[in-house]
Amino acid sequence: QVQLVESGGGLVQAGGSLRLSCVASGSFFSINVMGWYRQAPGKQRELVATITSGSDTNYADSVKGRFTISRDNVKNTAFLQMNSLKPEDTAVYYCNVPRVATYRGVKSDVWGQGTQVTVSS
């Protein structure tokens, strides 16, 4: 099994910063891609950023230049540094691993429980 646990969410004023963490635990070999998604009330879940084990990154246009994704492969942890936060960044942020090889086979589309980020104006 693979578990993802996010932390670091909270309430911040516009222009502020937060750093989210996602720790992957369980019995698995390695994780290539880790990602962050978000879902605002009444909206669909959307991609925020992804990072490969080789540190190749991809960002949604709405967060480019403000958010930075990184990871610690040894600790199986992904981070999302969010700067210059805006009220429209308010959402539940989810960690995602699209595919991981475990001792019981390949697991697809693993999600964390989410962490709330609220940006006040």
Side-chain angles (χ1 to χ4, degrees), residues 92-107:
V92 178
Y93 284 70
Y94 296 91
C95 183
N96 172 261
V97 169
R99 187 177 185 276
V100 56
T102 74
Y103 295 102
R104 295 185 178 184
V106 174
K107 293 284 288 183

Side-chain angles (χ1 to χ4, degrees), residues 3-120:
Q3 297 84 38
L4 302 177
V5 178
E6 305 100 331
S7 62
L11 173 64
V12 64
Q13 289 187 332
S17 298
L18 283 174
R19 188 188 195 214
L20 307 183
S21 298
C22 169
V23 179
S25 63
S27 299
F28 54 88
F29 296 106
S30 64
I31 296 174
N32 182 18
V33 178
M34 298 185 76
W36 288 96
Y37 288 72
R38 66 186 181 185
Q39 188 167 18
K43 295 187 177 181
Q44 288 189 333
R45 192 171 297 189
E46 62 177 3
L47 172 71
V48 176
T50 61
I51 185 168
T52 69
S53 57
S55 296
D56 291 326
T57 59
N58 178 54
Y59 294 94
D61 288 343
S62 59
V63 306
K64 282 181 180 177
R66 299 188 299 121
F67 291 11
T68 302
I69 189 171
S70 61
R71 66 188 284 175
D72 182 331
N73 290 328
V74 173
K75 297 182 178 180
N76 294 308
T77 301
F79 305 97
L80 186 68
Q81 179 66 44
M82 305 185 293
N83 299 328
S84 303
L85 282 161
K86 305 175 181 180
E88 51 263 44
D89 294 318
T90 295
V92 178
Y93 284 70
Y94 296 91
C95 183
N96 172 261
V97 169
R99 187 177 185 276
V100 56
T102 74
Y103 295 102
R104 295 185 178 184
V106 174
K107 293 284 288 183
S108 299
D109 218 20
V110 182
W111 293 93
Q113 82 288 348
T115 185
Q116 177 71 47
V117 172
T118 303
V119 185
S120 63

